Amino acid sequence: MRAVIAEDSVLLRVGLIKVLEMGGFQVAAEAGDAEGLLAAVAEHRPKLALIDVRMPPGFTDEGVRAAMEIRRRWPGTPVVLLSQYVEERYAADLLSANTSGVGYLLKQRIADVADFVAAVRRVADGGTALDPQVVAQLLLRRDSDPLARLTPREREVLGLMAEGRSNAGIAQALVVSESAVAKHINNIFAKLDLPVVDADHRRVLAVLRFLGASRA
């Protein structure tokens, strides 16, 4: 099972090679930056690409961008991102395209060799492996989004508001009374933490919040 590794720290790279070899992988190539990684994947077409999130030259998101490029050029190539810290945005970016054969793990997990190898192998087999801390952060971010507080009916009302419908139009579409619509709208305003100003302005703010979430 061929693998390539992209990690700018030589010591960690050597350690990763040893760990993967212990897990039955054959490390076909190693690289210290995203450019070298892409060249290695093009040459060896590995069963797994193990990638540091932050690499030269900018040490920001080079690894994430390289992983997404790998998935674009060679669809189905399993990739595991390694990060020093929880950076859930990068995990979300990678997972937004495809959850098959994707992993995002913290480097501290490498210390538990058996668990790390099991997670990496799961990704190589087409599964998903997310660090528990990453999952916790993703859930926290979702729960902290005010739109997540809305009930399905309130989301439906907000969607109709976004279409430009009046309270009467919403009531007609949902076959409910206008007073019920007004109650839903007041709940929406409260749950979205919108400032207490005139109702028309709050409708606009609510719709903008909804449309922004729909594009995300």
Side-chain angles (χ1 to χ4, degrees):
M1 193 175 286
R2 290 191 311 279
V4 298
I5 295 175
E7 166 61 57
D8 63 284
S9 169
V10 176
L11 288 178
L12 181 55
R13 195 161 72 229
V14 170
L16 287 171
I17 291 172
K18 295 295 185 184
V19 168
L20 288 183
E21 289 177 344
M22 289 170 57
F25 287 87
Q26 174 196 355
V27 179
E30 54 185 283
D33 56 31
E35 184 178 352
L37 166 65
L38 293 174
V41 173
E43 179 179 356
H44 299 284
R45 302 296 176 89
K47 181 64 176 176
L48 176 76
L50 196 60
I51 309 167
D52 184 15
V53 166
R54 299 173 181 267
M55 292 190 292
F59 293 97
T60 54
D61 63 348
E62 289 82 2
V64 181
R65 288 189 280 110
M68 297 180 76
E69 181 67 12
I70 288 170
R71 302 282 282 189
R72 186 186 69 80
R73 291 194 201 177
W74 304 282
T77 302
V79 296
V80 174
L81 288 175
L82 292 177
S83 179
Q84 190 70 38
Y85 312 102
V86 177
E87 297 172 289
E88 72 274 10
R89 178 172 62 86
Y90 296 150
D93 288 345
L94 192 61
L95 288 166
S96 64
N98 194 325
T99 58
S100 176
V102 173
Y104 189 104
L105 302 173
L106 295 184
K107 291 181 178 180
Q108 66 193 51
R109 301 294 171 192
I110 301 172
D112 191 330
V113 174
D115 283 352
F116 179 75
V117 170
V120 169
R121 184 171 288 279
R122 187 161 66 250
V123 173
D125 290 338
T128 303
L130 294 180
D131 193 279
Q133 289 189 40
V134 175
V135 173
Q137 288 286 352
L138 287 170
L139 291 174
L140 178 63
R141 185 175 68 170
R142 183 194 67 183
D143 291 341
S144 66
D145 180 1
L147 282 173
R149 306 172 191 166
L150 302 184
T151 66
R153 175 62 90 182
E154 288 164 355
R155 280 181 170 270
E156 198 171 9
V157 169
L158 183 53
L160 291 169
M161 288 169 59
E163 293 178 12
R165 301 201 191 195
S166 64
N167 284 17
I170 295 172
Q172 184 178 9
L174 298 179
V175 194
V176 297
S177 67
E178 287 191 47
S179 61
V181 171
K183 182 178 179 180
H184 286 312
I185 291 175
N186 285 332
N187 288 339
I188 290 168
F189 290 160
K191 291 180 179 180
L192 295 184
D193 300 320
L194 296 176
V196 181
V197 290
D198 66 275
D200 286 343
H201 183 52
R202 286 208 288 178
R203 286 179 82 97
V204 172
L205 291 176
V207 168
L208 289 175
R209 185 76 60 84
F210 173 78
L211 293 177
S214 299
R215 289 195 298 269

